Amino acid sequence: MLLVAFLVLDIYLGYEYWLQHEQRISWGRWRGAAEPVKVREGLAKAGVVLLGSLPAAPPPMRRVWLRVASPDPREVAQTFFGSSRDLQVSAWTGTESRSTGQTFRRGAERLTVLSDGLVLYERRDVAGGSVGQSMDAGAAQAEAERFLASHGGLPGDAALDFVLPLGGSGRPAFQVIYIQKYRNWPLFDGYIAMEVVAGGVRAMQRVWLDPVGVAGPRQPVISPERALEKLAAELDWGERGKVLVERVDLGYYGGLREPAAQWEAVPAWRIMTRGGEQFYINGYTGELEKAG
């Protein structure tokens, strides 16, 4: 009888330890729960508030080999300025990278083409509109597409990523982003980003990649819930307060390398917040690859 009592006590104490342990660990240990409410409750305890739904866990994926084919500055300038002869041409003098390049100026327009694939354009005489003037996301996207159609066109492997309002001045302004895709997966390092105001496109930044092919065996990719758990563990959410997550997308991220170099990009979860921050979580290891 005494033996039975000790056995019951051991079971009870074991259960109490397990229960306390489960209460201390993060929500990610039960991330496979079928009920979305539990997932959201667990995220909220970690300081993460989901504003939308999460994508399904993907099948195993392979790496992708990428490279940047250095653009010809003169050819790019031709798509922006045509056969204009009044261009001022100078060597690019930036110091933040080892890239080389050229800058073209015509009036208020300036175009810079770098050997690492980066193309920068700005037009300083584009009016930002008046305070209180209205312009919605659809109008901003239409203006961006008109600009691209007359400046070399939108690449066939491009897709609209998002349109975000830019606040601060009281004048209508949007950021319109197109993302490059490879086999229907986003390549987060390949993009066209434009600042669109009431008068048109005021600035553009573009990097387009050359996908070489897939690499290595297929490997399991962590779930989006697991990616959010990893992010919560990396950052001090207490100082940040509640983080509102707008979108979670899966694609490939590798970080740009030296001109003409070839590198591997891994599957990565991109976590976007309402404030515009983007975090990239390695889909294989769960490591935070980039924040900002």
Side-chain angles (χ1 to χ4, degrees):
M1 191 71 179
L2 188 60
L3 181 61
V4 173
F6 275 113
L7 179 60
V8 172
L9 179 61
D10 286 343
I11 293 174
Y12 173 77
L13 291 176
Y15 172 76
E16 281 293 301
Y17 172 80
W18 174 85
L19 182 60
Q20 292 176 17
H21 177 67
E22 287 300 294
Q23 289 173 342
R24 287 196 302 268
I25 64 175
S26 70
W27 63 271
R29 289 288 296 275
W30 42 261
R31 63 186 181 276
E35 300 138 25
V37 173
K38 284 189 176 181
V39 173
R40 291 178 182 275
E41 287 176 352
L43 284 170
K45 290 178 182 178
V48 179
V49 178
L50 272 176
L51 301 179
S53 59
L54 289 176
M61 297 173 64
R62 301 175 70 183
R63 292 177 170 84
V64 171
W65 279 106
L66 299 173
R67 68 185 175 194
V68 172
S70 299
D72 184 300
R74 291 285 180 177
E75 290 182 1
V76 177
Q78 176 80 17
T79 64
F80 276 79
F81 303 114
S83 57
S84 176
R85 296 183 179 180
D86 57 348
L87 290 179
Q88 298 178 9
V89 185
S90 60
W92 180 71
T93 57
T95 58
E96 59 267 25
S97 76
R98 287 180 286 177
S99 298
T100 59
Q102 287 183 295
T103 296
F104 303 84
R105 291 181 174 86
R106 183 180 66 180
E109 295 179 279
R110 182 172 68 178
L111 173 72
T112 299
V113 183
L114 303 183
S115 59
D116 63 2
L118 182 62
V119 176
L120 301 168
Y121 171 84
E122 64 175 336
R123 183 163 185 167
R124 298 179 181 178
D125 63 344
V126 173
S130 59
V131 175
Q133 182 178 353
S134 63
M135 182 175 75
D136 60 16
Q141 180 184 344
E143 185 60 43
E145 291 177 356
R146 280 194 294 269
F147 175 87
L148 290 171
S150 60
H151 292 80
L154 187 65
D157 54 349
L160 181 68
D161 196 17
F162 55 84
V163 181
L164 288 178
L166 299 173
S169 66
R171 293 177 171 83
F174 286 84
Q175 185 182 43
V176 181
I177 306 289
Y178 291 87
I179 199 80
Q180 185 176 0
K181 287 204 167 185
Y182 176 68
R183 297 189 174 185
N184 292 322
W185 292 109
L187 300 177
F188 293 126
D189 297 314
Y191 62 89
I192 300 173
M194 286 171 283
E195 180 188 352
V196 183
V197 296
V201 173
R202 184 156 57 188
M204 186 205 75
Q205 180 172 313
R206 184 183 77 195
V207 175
W208 220 247
L209 305 173
D210 181 14
V212 179
V214 293
R218 295 184 182 275
Q219 298 182 53
V221 177
I222 65 174
S223 67
E225 293 91 347
R226 179 66 172 167
L228 285 165
E229 178 198 18
K230 288 289 190 178
L231 180 61
E234 288 282 347
L235 303 177
D236 187 350
W237 299 114
E239 292 185 359
R240 290 169 169 263
K242 292 291 184 181
V243 176
L244 306 180
V245 175
E246 289 270 16
R247 283 175 52 178
V248 179
D249 303 298
L250 181 64
Y252 284 95
Y253 175 78
L256 292 178
R257 302 296 193 269
E258 293 300 315
Q262 185 170 296
W263 69 93
E264 282 186 337
V266 299
W269 289 102
R270 182 184 64 179
I271 300 169
M272 295 181 59
T273 71
R274 171 158 287 183
E277 288 185 289
Q278 298 185 29
F279 302 94
Y280 294 88
I281 302 294
N282 189 304
Y284 293 149
T285 67
E287 294 179 1
L288 177 61
E289 296 285 350
K290 179 184 176 183

